Amino acid sequence: MANFNFTVTSETGSGTADLTGLNNVIAAIDQGGTDAAVGNSYTVMLGGNFTLSRDLLAVNLDAGASLSVVGAGHTIDGGHTVGTGFRGFLV
């Protein structure tokens, strides 16, 4: 069991290994991800506001793992306008 803390500032970061991107963090902590393990504890803090340009990945953690998301006064905008918009967290 380990504790991981991430500060995200965008949806995807500058590339797939950039853990300032929320989707990249989700991929890393999900089952089979590079930081995934049974019983791990994850904290994601928003480091700024950002607008989604695609759906966020679904969160699918290993058994006994936990995830806390701390907004710190920031928001994730789904980019909703009539007939469009993107899904936020799916757990």
Side-chain angles (χ1 to χ4, degrees):
M1 291 191 299
N3 296 317
F4 291 84
N5 296 299
F6 304 95
T7 299
V8 298
T9 56
S10 69
E11 172 188 349
T12 58
S14 62
T16 58
D18 182 354
L19 294 179
T20 65
L22 183 54
N23 264 336
N24 298 341
V25 169
I26 293 170
I29 67 176
D30 269 354
Q31 290 180 339
T34 56
D35 294 321
V38 171
N40 278 357
S41 173
Y42 307 101
T43 300
V44 173
M45 180 169 294
L46 299 183
N49 300 328
F50 56 93
T51 300
L52 299 179
S53 62
R54 62 185 69 140
D55 290 340
L56 289 178
L57 298 174
V59 177
N60 188 24
L61 303 177
D62 283 318
S66 65
L67 171 63
S68 297
V69 179
V70 180
H74 300 292
T75 61
I76 300 171
D77 185 335
H80 179 72
T81 56
V82 176
T84 64
F86 300 98
R87 181 192 69 233
F89 290 102
L90 176 65
V91 290

